[in-house]
Amino acid sequence: MIFQREWKRNRKALIIWSVILGGLIVGLLSMFPQFAEQQESLSKMMEAYPESMQKAFGMDELGFGTLMGFYGIEVHMMTTLLGSIYAAMLASNILAKEENEKTIEFLLSKPITRNQIVAQKLAAVIINLLILNGIAVIASLVGFQFAEGHDVPYKTFALLVIATILLHFTFAAISFMLSSMMRKTRNILSISIAVVIIAYFFNMMSGLSADLDVLKYFSPFNYADAANIINEGAIKALYVAIMAAVILLTVFAAFIVYKKKDISV
């Protein structure tokens, strides 16, 4: 019952985000042939950029002339950032809104435990994120059709997809925990989006100066960095472990906190 209600509540937003993200992916990939044809002139133009800026955007390790290089610089950066914002928005409201909208009394009057409430709402978050990422994958596969004469390294593409999903789940789990702890949805939403933006800012700043390199270790965006995955052909096991640990710990904390929370009805 709760899962179905959450599905209906969030369906419109999911459709809007999926259409926008999918359209942007196809649109960007449709421009790849033009970038590939002008690779030499683009390389010269990129040399004019400061080294720190090239590093911040991954242009020092990836190039616009290869399909995966273009995908990493343009598409992957967009899907990770926009998808993370969507994940934070979705998960930050899903528990707290029952108290905020005064509907928690209705839920608690039903023969259902708090753990079941949390589990079904968590399932709704997971399904919505998987669908969004599924749409992004389909849009990418459609966009790859514009790259005639360029082989698609599907193994590398799969690794980028896995890293993106883990990243989205990481921010969703953090926001989900905040939603179990706080009552005001507006405050939770602001904090959740701030966490995403600050993490992205840390990752960008780490590339601008060697003195700021340490900031990247505090940003999940670094763990899903396209340049590392494409060049190494793998996601670092340590990064996977860190994201998995954050997801498990914050979700576990959400269950514990919500079960013990003093909920006024």
Side-chain angles (χ1 to χ4, degrees):
M1 178 186 71
I2 294 176
F3 174 83
Q4 293 175 341
R5 189 161 65 106
E6 291 302 333
W7 170 253
K8 290 179 181 178
R9 277 182 172 184
N10 296 290
R11 183 170 54 193
K12 182 178 179 181
L14 175 62
I15 292 172
I16 293 173
W17 277 86
S18 297
V19 170
I20 292 174
L21 186 60
L24 287 172
I25 291 172
V26 173
L28 284 171
L29 287 173
S30 68
M31 297 188 294
F32 168 70
Q34 301 173 24
F35 278 83
E37 290 176 2
Q38 301 173 12
Q39 181 179 0
E40 186 175 342
S41 58
L42 283 171
S43 297
K44 293 180 179 179
M45 182 183 70
M46 287 169 59
E47 289 175 0
Y49 284 93
E51 185 178 347
S52 58
M53 186 174 293
Q54 293 182 38
K55 186 177 180 181
F57 288 95
M59 293 186 293
D60 60 325
E61 298 183 66
L62 300 175
F64 287 106
T66 64
L67 181 57
M68 279 297 100
F70 180 86
Y71 189 91
I73 296 173
E74 295 289 341
V75 181
H76 183 74
M77 182 179 67
M78 180 187 64
T79 55
T80 51
L81 179 58
L82 293 183
S84 295
I85 292 174
Y86 170 76
M89 292 175 63
L90 173 66
S92 63
N93 288 328
I94 203 160
L95 279 173
K97 68 183 175 184
E98 301 295 349
E99 292 177 79
N100 196 64
E101 297 174 2
K102 310 300 182 182
T103 55
I104 189 63
E105 182 177 0
F106 170 77
L107 276 183
L108 294 179
S109 67
K110 300 296 180 181
I112 187 171
T113 66
R114 292 192 184 189
N115 279 345
Q116 288 174 318
I117 293 174
V118 176
Q120 291 193 40
K121 286 178 175 288
L122 178 62
V125 172
I126 292 172
I127 295 301
N128 275 267
L129 288 178
L130 288 177
I131 291 175
L132 181 73
N133 279 276
I135 296 297
V137 169
I138 293 172
S140 297
L141 294 175
V142 171
F144 288 153
Q145 304 309 307
F146 292 101
E148 295 182 6
H150 293 265
D151 294 330
V152 180
Y154 287 105
K155 179 183 176 181
T156 302
F157 174 63
L159 289 172
L160 290 173
V161 170
I162 292 170
T164 302
I165 293 173
L166 283 173
L167 179 68
H168 293 168
F169 280 4
T170 299
F171 285 114
I174 294 171
S175 300
F176 192 75
M177 180 186 68
L178 292 173
S179 187
S180 71
M181 298 169 61
M182 303 172 67
R183 300 178 188 274
K184 297 295 184 180
T185 55
R186 183 178 299 177
N187 295 340
I188 304 169
L189 180 60
S190 299
I191 294 172
S192 297
I193 293 180
V195 169
V196 175
I197 299 302
I198 290 172
Y200 184 76
F201 179 74
F202 277 4
N203 191 50
M204 294 288 293
M205 290 297 294
S206 67
L208 296 178
S209 171
D211 296 332
L212 300 174
D213 189 62
V214 68
L215 291 178
K216 69 182 182 183
Y217 298 108
F218 296 95
S219 172
F221 284 99
N222 176 62
Y223 305 148
D225 183 67
N228 290 334
I229 295 172
I230 292 171
N231 292 330
E232 297 179 15
I235 309 172
K236 290 184 178 180
L238 176 61
Y239 293 168
V240 174
I242 291 174
M243 287 191 284
V246 171
I247 293 168
L248 293 174
L249 289 174
T250 49
V251 168
F252 179 74
F255 274 92
I256 298 300
V257 170
Y258 200 77
K259 187 176 182 179
K260 298 181 178 181
K261 190 176 185 181
D262 180 17
I263 299 177
S264 57
V265 296

